[in-house]
Amino acid sequence: MEVKGRICLVLSLFVAVCLVSATVSLARSERDRELGVCKLKCEELRGAEQDEKLTCKQSCEKYHQEKQKREREGGQRRERGQSGGRSGEGGGQYDIVFADIERELREMVGKCHQSCQGSKGEQEDPECFRTCMEQYGRPEQGKRRGRGGDDTSMSQKSRKGEREYGKGQQLNNPYVFEDHHFTTRIESEQGSVRVLQKFTDRSELFQGIGKYRVAILEAQPQTFIIPNHWDADALFFVANGEGTISLTNTENSLENHNIKRGDIFRVPAGINAYLINRHNNEKLVLAKILHSISVPGELQTFVGVGGDNPESSFFNAFSNEVLQAAFDMDRGSLEKLFGQQKQQQGIFKKATEEQIRALSGKDETRTWPFGERKGPYNIYKEKPSVQNEYGNLHEVDSKDFSDLRDMNVAFSLFNITQGSMAGPFYNTKTTTVLVVADGVGLFEMACPHLSEQAGRNIETSPGYEKVNSQIRRGTVVVIPAGHPVVLEASGEQNLEVIGFGLNSDRNEWFPLAGRDNVMSQWEDEAMELTFGIPANEVQKVIEKQKKKLFFKGPVRRGRAFA
C-alpha cells in the first residue's frame, strides 16, 4: 500500500507539472502570437520606411518583454499574497502600442508634407522631406517624439495646430486629399495627367465609392493629346480653357465637340478619344471622375501609338507574326510604324496653328450606337438653383443631362463669395467628392466615424468629431452621405468648388440653417419636445436667418482667417 501511495503521489505530481507546463506553454504561445501580430502590423504600416518599420517592431518586442516581466512579478506577488496587478492584460495592449507608433509616424509625415508643400513633399523634393523628417526626429536617431529630453511632443503640436483654426490639414483626417495623394501618371512640358489614390486605400470608410477615382488633366496652349482609351467611364468638367474632343464609335465615324469652361462631358469606357487645347494662351484643365469597369478602383490607359518609346504602344505587346497577319503588312513596314517613335514627347504633343485650326472644326453630333448624343452640357446653361450676394450653386443631374444616369453621378458647382460660407447642409444618399477649382477656404464636417475611433461610446448617445482643414486649388474632400458640412471662403478671394455626387439616384440635400432649413419644417409640439422650450422661442432662433445656403461667414463677422 505504501508503494502504491508513492506511485499515486508521483503520478499526481507528474500530471500537475504537465498541466502547469501546458498552461505556461499556451500562455507563451498566445504572447508569441500577439507579438507576431504586432510585428505584422508594423510591416504593413503605410508610408513607413524600413528603418521605421524596424523601430516599430523593436517597440513591439520591448513591450512584449515588459509584459512578461510584469507577469512574472505578478506571479511572485500572488505567491506573497499580494495583488496580481496588470498580469491579466490581453493582446489589445499591443494594439495600443502599435496605434501610438502609427499616430506618431503619421503626424511626422503630415507635418513634413506641409513643410515641403510647395514642392509636393517627398515626390518632388526628397531632400526637403528627408531634412524635415530628421528635424522632427527620425526613429534611427534614437528619439521617441515627446518622450523625454527637449523634444516637444508632436501630438501636442498637432493639438495646438487644430486650435489655430485653418492651419493646414487636420492630422489623421481621411476625408481630405492634398497634392501628395495624387500620382502623376503622365507628365511633360506640354501637360500632365494626375490620378488621386484609391479612396479605399485611404480608409475603409470609402468602400461605397471604391469604384470611383478622381483625375486632373492639364494641357498647355496649342497642345494635342494623342488617341487613347480608358477601362473606365469618365465624366469631366472643364474647369479652365477651351478645346475640342474627338471620339470614335463602332459605326466607323468620328464625333467632334468643342468644349469650353463650364462644360460637362462623358466619355464611355473603351471609346477611343483625342483632345486638343485650341487656345493660344490659356491652359486647358479638366477635372474628371472615373468609374472603373474591370477591377474596382483600378485604372488603365491604353495607347496604341505616339508615346515616349516603343513600349508605350500596346501593339508592341503582340508578336510580330500576329501584327503582320492583322495588318497584312511585312515586318519592316510595321516596325517603321510601331517600333520607332520620332517625337519623344509622350501623349502630349505641341501642335502648329494650322493643325489646331484643322482639328478644331465645327461641332458634329452623329448617331451613337446607343442613341443620339447631345454633346457637352454647360453648367451655366440654367440659372443657379440657389443664389444670393454670398454665393451661388449650380446643379445638374440626370434629368438635365442624361449621360449622368449611366454613371449614377450628379454634378454641382459652388461659387462662394470671399468671406462667405455655404452650409451647414447634408445629402441624403450621395457621397460627394469635392474638388477645389479656385481660391482658398476652410472646410468643417461633423463625423460620427472618427468619434467611434476616438473611443467614445455612441451606443448610449451619439458623438461627433469635428473634421476640419484648410482647402485650396487642387484639394479633394470627400463628404459621405448624411454628414453635415460647411464650406467657407477666405476673405481675400472667392472659393470655387466642383462637386461630383456619387450614387446620386434619388438624392436630396437639406439645409440645416437659414431659409427652408430642416428644423423650420417641424411641428410646434416636436420643437417643444426636442428643445424643451416653447416652440415660439425655438422659431425665433431657427427662422432669424432669411438667406438660403449661403451666408455671411465668420471672417466677415470679425474672425481672423488663418
Side-chain angles (χ1 to χ4, degrees):
M1 291 296 293
E2 184 178 356
V3 172
K4 288 183 178 179
R6 290 178 179 175
I7 292 174
C8 290
L9 177 61
V10 170
L11 287 174
S12 298
L13 290 173
F14 176 77
V15 170
V17 169
C18 288
L19 288 173
V20 170
S21 299
T23 303
V24 171
S25 177
L26 286 172
R28 184 182 297 112
S29 176
E30 178 64 19
R31 288 195 301 268
D32 291 343
R33 185 191 68 80
E34 293 167 356
L35 176 60
V37 170
C38 187
K39 287 185 175 182
L40 180 61
K41 287 184 177 181
C42 291
E43 189 61 38
E44 296 175 347
L45 191 59
R46 194 172 297 153
E49 296 180 1
Q50 287 302 318
D51 49 1
E52 293 162 338
K53 293 178 182 179
L54 177 61
T55 301
C56 177
K57 293 177 183 179
Q58 291 172 348
S59 297
C60 292
E61 291 174 347
K62 182 179 179 181
Y63 177 79
H64 179 71
Q65 294 169 357
E66 290 175 350
K67 183 178 180 181
Q68 288 181 311
K69 181 180 179 181
R70 288 196 302 270
E71 289 174 345
R72 288 195 299 269
E73 292 173 351
Q76 294 171 359
R77 285 195 297 269
R78 283 193 296 274
E79 290 177 1
R80 294 194 298 267
Q82 298 176 6
S83 170
R86 300 169 60 185
S87 61
E89 289 178 334
Q93 294 298 319
Y94 283 89
D95 291 337
I96 296 174
V97 173
F98 173 76
D100 182 62
I101 296 166
E102 183 180 40
R103 187 189 67 252
E104 290 181 353
L105 177 62
R106 285 181 176 175
E107 289 173 352
M108 181 169 62
V109 171
K111 284 286 185 181
C112 291
H113 275 312
Q114 293 174 23
S115 298
C116 303
Q117 188 62 55
S119 53
K120 301 180 182 179
E122 80 273 30
Q123 293 182 2
E124 296 295 328
D125 193 345
E127 182 64 26
C128 169
F129 191 78
R130 183 186 64 80
T131 302
C132 176
M133 294 287 277
E134 290 177 351
Q135 182 180 4
Y136 278 117
R138 294 289 293 268
E140 66 265 26
Q141 294 174 328
K143 295 181 181 179
R144 290 301 302 272
R145 290 163 297 284
R147 298 189 179 184
D150 298 328
D151 197 16
T152 305
S153 168
M154 285 292 293
S155 60
Q156 291 177 357
K157 291 181 179 179
S158 68
R159 286 193 295 269
K160 179 181 178 182
E162 290 178 23
R163 289 196 297 269
E164 295 177 5
Y165 190 76
K167 285 289 184 75
Q169 179 177 328
Q170 184 182 23
L171 297 174
N172 300 325
N173 174 3
Y175 298 98
V176 177
F177 298 78
E178 299 286 1
D179 286 346
H180 59 273
H181 294 111
F182 281 86
T183 298
T184 301
R185 290 284 187 94
I186 304 164
E187 187 172 30
S188 71
E189 291 182 359
Q190 294 304 120
S192 66
V193 176
R194 298 186 303 127
V195 179
L196 189 66
Q197 71 177 115
K198 291 196 293 185
F199 293 117
T200 50
D201 281 353
R202 187 77 182 278
S203 173
E204 293 182 357
L205 296 171
F206 302 137
Q207 293 289 340
I209 58 172
K211 292 184 177 182
Y212 293 94
R213 297 288 292 275
V214 170
I216 305 293
L217 181 148
E218 296 185 355
Q220 295 297 330
Q222 296 187 321
T223 294
F224 175 71
I225 296 95
I226 67 174
N228 63 90
H229 70 270
W230 292 71
D231 61 345
D233 288 322
L235 178 73
F236 65 73
F237 174 73
V238 184
N240 190 74
E242 57 185 39
T244 300
I245 186 167
S246 300
L247 312 173
T248 58
N249 61 42
T250 56
E251 299 299 316
N252 194 29
S253 61
L254 189 66
E255 181 178 338
N256 298 316
H257 294 286
N258 291 334
I259 55 175
K260 61 183 182 298
R261 173 175 161 76
D263 277 348
I264 308 167
F265 195 75
R266 174 175 172 250
V267 178
I271 295 300
N272 195 264
Y274 54 87
L275 177 69
I276 60 168
N277 178 357
R278 53 190 171 88
H279 201 279
N280 293 328
N281 301 307
E282 286 192 13
K283 183 186 293 186
L284 179 65
V285 180
L286 306 181
K288 300 182 180 183
I289 194 79
L290 299 109
H291 185 265
S292 57
I293 300 298
S294 301
V295 181
E298 295 291 340
L299 301 175
Q300 296 296 334
T301 312
F302 294 86
V303 179
V305 291
D308 288 330
N309 51 61
E311 287 73 25
S312 299
S313 169
F314 57 70
F315 282 113
N316 287 308
F318 296 100
S319 64
N320 289 322
E321 294 77 12
V322 167
L323 292 177
Q324 290 173 48
F327 288 92
D328 191 20
M329 186 64 65
D330 62 273
R331 179 172 180 175
S333 298
L334 288 174
E335 286 183 348
K336 184 177 180 180
L337 185 63
F338 297 120
Q340 298 178 9
Q341 304 298 326
K342 295 181 180 179
Q343 293 176 301
Q344 302 296 316
Q345 293 180 296
I347 74 166
F348 294 92
K349 313 262 183 169
K350 181 69 175 179
T352 65
E353 292 186 9
E354 292 76 12
Q355 290 171 325
I356 293 294
R357 282 197 297 269
L359 289 169
S360 298
K362 298 180 180 179
D363 274 341
E364 297 176 359
T365 302
R366 301 172 185 261
T367 302
W368 202 251
F370 308 104
E372 186 76 12
R373 287 183 59 85
K374 300 177 182 178
Y377 182 97
N378 194 272
I379 191 76
Y380 302 112
K381 181 178 179 180
E382 303 293 341
K383 293 181 178 180
S385 55
V386 183
Q387 183 176 23
N388 58 44
E389 65 267 37
Y390 302 119
N392 60 69
L393 170 66
H394 287 86
E395 298 177 280
V396 180
D397 59 22
S398 59
K399 296 190 293 292
D400 305 305
F401 185 42
S402 59
D403 279 11
L404 297 175
R405 184 175 296 111
D406 291 338
M407 292 182 64
N408 196 14
V409 173
F411 186 87
S412 57
L413 182 66
F414 294 82
N415 196 318
I416 306 171
T417 307
Q418 61 186 57
S420 303
M421 58 183 274
F425 66 93
Y426 71 92
N427 286 283
T428 56
K429 296 185 177 181
T430 290
T431 293
T432 305
V433 176
L434 302 175
V435 181
V436 180
D438 199 15
V440 175
L442 301 173
F443 137 84
E444 284 192 12
M445 183 177 72
C447 178
H449 304 294
L450 297 187
S451 180
E452 286 181 340
Q453 293 176 8
R456 297 174 185 171
N457 183 8
I458 66 168
E459 293 182 1
T460 54
S461 62
Y464 307 96
E465 192 82 5
K466 181 181 76 173
V467 178
N468 68 295
S469 175
Q470 188 178 90
I471 55 178
R472 60 189 179 281
R473 180 184 298 176
T475 302
V476 176
V477 181
V478 179
I479 310 296
H483 287 51
V485 63
V486 172
L487 302 173
E488 180 187 345
S490 74
E492 302 300 323
Q493 56 184 316
N494 291 359
L495 179 67
E496 185 177 76
V497 181
I498 302 164
F500 295 104
L502 311 183
N503 305 320
S504 61
D505 189 32
R506 298 182 181 179
N507 177 68
E508 300 285 346
W509 69 268
F510 288 104
L512 292 168
R515 180 163 55 86
D516 300 331
N517 74 76
V518 171
M519 294 180 290
S520 65
Q521 302 175 36
W522 296 351
E523 296 172 301
D524 290 352
E525 292 77 10
M527 289 185 184
E528 292 175 355
L529 288 168
T530 300
F531 290 97
I533 59 176
N536 62 337
E537 294 185 27
V538 176
Q539 291 166 351
K540 288 179 182 179
V541 176
I542 64 177
E543 296 180 2
K544 182 181 179 182
Q545 176 62 266
K546 302 302 181 184
K547 303 293 182 181
K548 183 173 182 178
L549 185 60
F550 298 99
F551 314 121
K552 181 188 295 185
V555 173
R556 289 192 177 189
R557 301 173 70 91
R559 191 194 68 193
F561 190 95

